[in-house]
């Protein structure tokens, strides 16, 4: 059985190797829509880089892609950070999906690192090693790596696991969560 920290290195390697094929993937579904909106090629229901996950704003001037629904349909996901990150990718990489995929894999690695710290804190060394490797092998991560507009899962997961880790540290140290980092 792998021991800590060697298991963490193996888990990182697994994520990189398993998701390397996504580096050759093209834009998929919402990715192409977001790129076209950021290019200005098609109108966006909600302007600005913080609302690219708005698909229908409702109202008479809305050019909703859901023509079969009510004109008052509102479909908007609150993902300002993921929207801004996608807009930054667009500003840097333009129409080359490679950079978008690398960025998404970086968020997977960040989530893995925080989850590994959480496992190490809550489980014994052997269980933490196994749990971290199993997390790295989870097939759902392929969606995040292959589909840059699904990066919000990696972003929210990383920040959510970090919040849980900080909460646990704050409870143990009886200090405010921000001071628990120090």
């Amino acid at each position: 059985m792998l021991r800590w920290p060697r298991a963490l290195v193996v888990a990182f390697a697994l994520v990189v190797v398993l998701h390397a094929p996504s580096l050759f993937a093209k834009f998929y579904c919402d990715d192409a829509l977001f790129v076209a909106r950021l290019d200005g090629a098609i109108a966006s229901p909600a302007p600005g880089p913080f609302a690219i996950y708005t698909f229908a704003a409702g109202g008479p001037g809305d050019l909703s892609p859901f023509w079969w629904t009510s004109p008052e349909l509102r479909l908007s996901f609150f993902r300002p950070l993921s929207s801004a990150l996608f807009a930054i990718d667009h500003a840097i990489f333009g129409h080359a999906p490679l950079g978008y995929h690398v960025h998404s894999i970086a968020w997977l690695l960040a989530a893995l690192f925080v989850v590994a710290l959480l496992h190490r804190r809550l489980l014994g060394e052997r269980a933490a090693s196994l749990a971290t490797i199993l997390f790295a092998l989870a097939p759902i991560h392929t969606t995040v790596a292959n589909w840059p507009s699904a990066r919000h899962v990696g972003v929210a997961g990383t920040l959510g696991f970090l919040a849980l880790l900080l909460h646990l540290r704050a409870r143990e140290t009886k200090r405010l969560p921000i001071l628990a980092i120090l």
Side-chain angles (χ1 to χ4, degrees), residues 7 19 36 43 45 51 54 58 60 63 66-68 89 101 107 113-114 134 144 172 177:
H19 301 297
T54 297
L63 300 174
F66 309 107
W67 54 267
W68 61 90
D89 283 354
H101 292 295
W107 276 102
F113 181 70
V114 176
L134 289 175
V144 177
E172 291 169 1

Side-chain angles (χ1 to χ4, degrees), residues 40-111:
I42 59 172
S44 180
F50 297 105
I52 63 172
Y53 286 89
T54 297
F55 295 96
D62 186 19
L63 300 174
S64 172
F66 309 107
W67 54 267
W68 61 90
T69 63
S70 167
E72 288 82 31
L73 173 71
R74 292 173 190 237
L75 183 58
S76 183
F77 299 102
F78 184 68
R79 296 178 182 150
L81 179 57
S82 295
S83 291
L85 291 172
F86 198 95
I88 290 168
D89 283 354
H90 180 264
I92 296 170
F93 306 114
H95 293 256
L98 173 66
Y100 296 75
H101 292 295
V102 169
H103 188 179
S104 294
I105 292 171
W107 276 102
L108 281 177
L109 291 170

